[in-house]
């Protein structure tokens, strides 16, 4: 027999958004995408940094876009959605192409 609604809700409440969203893969017309979640709510330094600079997610979005336009094999960003209070980003969700096998930035520099 399946789990009750209460049991499922309890399991879901224990999953962190970042862990959950980072494991989601979306496929549209044969193209795969992945989701990256950023939360700045409990990262005081990042909240202060967002007063003067773009959010970490926006910087990653722009960097990936720039590198993809230059022909470097990085995941192309598709969508960036941010929850902001004033000019300060509190949470961001970046959806980008899923590339297999993916190289880390450090591996790419080598």
């Amino acid at each position: 027999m399946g789990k009750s609604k209460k049991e499922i809700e309890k399991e879901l409440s224990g999953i962190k958004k970042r862990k959950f969203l980072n494991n989601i893969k979306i496929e549209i017309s044969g193209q795969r995408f992945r989701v990256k979640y950023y939360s700045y709510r409990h990262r005081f330094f990042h909240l202060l940094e967002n007063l003067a600079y773009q959010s970490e997610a926006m910087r990653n979005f722009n960097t990936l876009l720039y590198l993809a336009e230059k022909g470097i094999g990085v995941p192309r960003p598709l969508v960036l959605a941010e929850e902001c209070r004033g000019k300060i980003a509190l949470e961001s969700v970046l959806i980008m192409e899923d590339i297999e096998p993916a190289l880390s930035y450090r591996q790419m520099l080598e």
Side-chain angles (χ1 to χ4, degrees), residues 10 13 35 52 61 64 74-75 83 101 103 107:
K10 185 177 179 184
S13 69
V35 178
F61 179 89
L64 288 172
V74 296
E83 177 191 347
L103 295 175
Q107 290 170 319

Side-chain angles (χ1 to χ4, degrees), residues 1-45:
M1 184 153 185
K3 296 179 182 181
S4 72
K5 183 179 175 185
K6 234 179 193 168
E7 290 172 321
I8 293 171
E9 286 174 352
K10 185 177 179 184
E11 283 182 26
L12 289 175
S13 69
I15 297 174
K16 300 284 185 200
K17 282 184 193 176
R18 183 177 182 97
K19 183 178 177 184
F20 176 74
L21 288 173
N22 286 349
N23 290 321
I24 289 181
K25 296 203 178 179
I26 302 167
E27 189 167 330
I28 302 170
S29 301
Q31 249 189 316
R32 290 184 318 206
F33 299 92
R34 61 178 308 168
V35 178
K36 184 158 185 178
Y37 172 76
Y38 301 81
S39 176
Y40 313 106
R41 292 180 188 276
H42 304 293
R43 295 164 60 190
F44 184 71
F45 174 74

Side-chain angles (χ1 to χ4, degrees), residues 21-104:
L21 288 173
N22 286 349
N23 290 321
I24 289 181
K25 296 203 178 179
I26 302 167
E27 189 167 330
I28 302 170
S29 301
Q31 249 189 316
R32 290 184 318 206
F33 299 92
R34 61 178 308 168
V35 178
K36 184 158 185 178
Y37 172 76
Y38 301 81
S39 176
Y40 313 106
R41 292 180 188 276
H42 304 293
R43 295 164 60 190
F44 184 71
F45 174 74
H46 286 279
L47 287 172
L48 287 178
E49 184 180 56
N50 286 348
L51 288 170
Y53 304 106
Q54 299 172 329
S55 68
E56 179 183 359
M58 179 64 81
R59 291 192 309 268
N60 288 345
F61 179 89
N62 288 329
T63 301
L64 288 172
L65 192 60
Y66 173 80
L67 292 173
E69 287 174 354
K70 296 296 179 189
I72 298 172
V74 296
R76 285 185 317 218
L78 179 67
V79 174
L80 175 66
E82 293 190 309
E83 177 191 347
C84 297
R85 185 150 300 135
K87 292 184 179 182
I88 299 174
L90 300 176
E91 292 181 320
S92 306
V93 175
L94 174 60
I95 300 175
M96 61 190 143
E97 221 177 10
D98 188 27
I99 296 180
E100 294 292 337
L103 295 175
S104 71

